[in-house]
Structure formats: C-alpha cells, structure tokens
Amino acid sequence: MNLLFSFFSITLAADTGSKFTRFFVNLYLKLSDQLYQCLIYKNRYHYIIDGLKNTLIITLFAVLLGVLLGTLVALVKVGHGNNPKKLRIANNICSLYLTLIRGTPVVVQLMIMYYIILNQAKVSDVTAAILAFGINSGAYVAEVIRSGIQSVDKGQIEAGRSLGLSQRTTMIKIVFPQALKNVLPAIGNEFIALLKETSVAGYIGIQDLTKGGYIILSITYQPYTPLLTTAAVYLVIVIGLTTALTRFERRLHRSDNR
C-alpha cells in the first residue's frame, strides 16, 4: 500500500495540471484504502464469510422445514375442502396457524421464538432462527402448494382412482408431479425471499451476512464498503438461485413439449 501511495504521489506531482487524472487517482486511492481497512486489514473479510455461512445454513434448513410443514397444511386444507366432514379440527388448527403467521411480522416471530418459546430450552441461536423462519415460510408455502394441487384437473384424480389406485397413491404419483411444475416458480420466489428475510437474524445475536457487514461498519466507521459488499453478496446468490431455478423449471417442462 505504501508503494502505491508513493507511486501515485509522483504521478500527481508530474501531472499537476490534469484535474481529470488527479480526480481518478484520488478516487482510486480512497477506494483502495477503504477496501484495505474494511476487508483486508486484520482479516476483517472473515466477518462476511462467517455471516454468509450462517445465512446459508438458516435459509437451507428453514426452506426444508417450510416445505414439509407447508405440504402437510396444504394436504389438510385440500382434504377438508374435498370433504368438509373430515379433518375439521386439523383444518381449524391450520387456519389459525396461517392467520397468526401471515398476520404478524417475521422479526416479531423470531424474537417470540427465541425469547419466549425457547427461552428455557438449550438450543443454539441458529436453531431458533431455523425454527422461526421455517414456520413462517411454511404458512406461505402451504397456500402455494394448495393452489398447485387445486390447479390439477379433477379428471386426473378420477382417472387414477378408476385404475384402482388409492387416494394417497393418486396424490403422490399423479397429482403432486403435475402440481410441482405449476408451483415451482412461486416456491423459488419464496426461497429467495426467505434468503433476504434472514437479514433480521441479528436481532437475536446471530452473526449473519448483514450483521457481519454491520460489524465491519461499526469498527471502521466507513459505511460504503461493508454495506455495498454485503449487498453484492446477496445479489450474486439471488442471481445464482434464479438461474438454477429457471434451468430446473425448463427441465421439468420438457415433457410438455413432446
């Protein structure tokens, strides 16, 4: 760094009449110094890397929990809708769950999970976050899957039953594969939204990606580099996920063009 400063100091002295050169050299020196102070000095980039690990872990397991919980809720809602005399209690519980989760902010649910529900339990902060975000995601995934199941033509179900398949087998082998293709874009959007929602995990002391950037900001008092770096990492992940989901969706729809 000292060699760079010396080199550009000589350049400025030799070309003092060029304001254009002076402006960009000063800008380069300032940006280089900020990058060094925020990321390289004392290996401060580890705050970003460690935060990214926690963000990905929370997002991955919360999505798995959300899909599992959402599928169960969707099946109960669909089953009750097809036969109102069945699953009345389970349907009421699911309706209450959807109302509570969709009617309150995720950050409030996170703090309730950590400070009230799991206050006496010996679980890690990351586990509490996974449960909170997974339960929150399940409420939205449930409605997505329910709409996907209901979008499948009822004739498909009747055809399966007429072939001697049970209702469970018909749902798994006939309805679900078709519903998956219909709801995959919505589930992908929920996955991306959940990734960004985990940025509030710092409210319970978790060093996620956003918290890592904020720690660097609080140390250096330089907001540009840590915040823009954090935003860039989120952007790269979202672009990667969007590309992967698009390719997967195209592969699922290949059979429709045959």
Side-chain angles (χ1 to χ4, degrees):
M1 291 299 293
N2 292 331
L3 292 176
L4 286 174
F5 277 102
S6 300
F7 173 76
F8 284 112
S9 297
I10 295 174
T11 303
L12 285 174
D15 192 18
T16 54
S18 177
K19 295 182 179 180
F20 183 80
T21 303
R22 189 184 305 116
F23 170 77
F24 280 100
V25 170
N26 288 333
L27 179 62
Y28 177 81
L29 292 176
K30 184 177 181 180
L31 292 177
S32 299
D33 182 62
Q34 285 196 14
L35 287 173
Y36 178 77
Q37 293 294 331
C38 295
L39 299 178
I40 300 175
Y41 182 66
K42 292 185 178 181
N43 295 326
R44 287 173 180 162
Y45 65 90
H46 283 296
Y47 290 113
I48 299 293
I49 294 177
D50 294 340
L52 177 60
K53 291 179 182 178
N54 287 332
T55 294
L56 294 178
I57 290 173
I58 293 172
T59 303
L60 176 61
F61 287 100
V63 165
L64 295 177
L65 177 60
V67 170
L68 176 61
L69 186 59
T71 301
L72 293 176
V73 173
L75 291 176
V76 171
K77 300 291 288 185
V78 171
H80 178 74
N82 293 335
N83 189 349
K85 295 182 179 180
K86 295 182 178 180
L87 303 174
R88 287 185 178 180
I89 297 178
N91 180 70
N92 291 334
I93 294 175
C94 291
S95 298
L96 178 62
Y97 160 71
L98 295 175
T99 301
L100 291 176
I101 297 301
R102 298 175 68 183
T104 55
V106 63
V107 64
V108 176
Q109 298 168 19
L110 177 65
M111 290 189 289
I112 290 175
M113 177 64 69
Y114 183 73
Y115 292 110
I116 298 178
I117 298 178
L118 299 178
N119 185 30
Q120 302 298 327
K122 295 181 180 180
V123 297
S124 64
D125 300 344
V126 174
T127 302
I130 290 172
L131 291 175
F133 288 116
I135 292 173
N136 177 270
S137 179
Y140 297 93
V141 172
E143 292 301 306
V144 171
I145 295 178
R146 183 177 66 85
S147 63
I149 294 174
Q150 292 178 340
S151 67
V152 178
D153 190 358
K154 292 184 178 180
Q156 300 286 330
I157 301 176
E158 294 174 356
R161 298 304 300 273
S162 65
L163 292 174
L165 300 178
S166 64
Q167 184 175 0
R168 180 178 180 181
T169 304
T170 302
M171 185 68 66
I172 294 175
K173 293 188 176 181
I174 297 178
V175 177
F176 255 50
Q178 297 180 68
L180 178 62
K181 292 191 292 185
N182 296 333
V183 304
L184 182 62
I187 293 179
N189 290 333
E190 172 61 24
F191 182 67
I192 293 172
L194 181 61
L195 171 70
K196 294 181 288 187
E197 285 177 356
T198 58
S199 60
V200 301
Y203 277 89
I204 60 172
I206 296 177
Q207 184 184 323
D208 66 314
L209 181 56
T210 302
K211 185 69 172 181
Y214 183 78
I215 291 174
I216 297 175
L217 185 153
S218 64
I219 295 173
T220 62
Y221 296 100
Q222 295 181 3
Y224 297 103
T225 299
L227 295 182
L228 291 178
T229 300
T230 301
V233 174
Y234 275 115
L235 181 60
V236 169
I237 296 174
V238 170
I239 292 175
L241 288 174
T242 303
T243 303
L245 289 170
T246 301
R247 291 181 178 179
F248 184 56
E249 183 181 354
R250 289 176 180 174
R251 182 171 296 181
L252 287 176
H253 283 285
R254 284 179 183 177
S255 58
D256 296 339
N257 300 323
R258 293 178 181 176

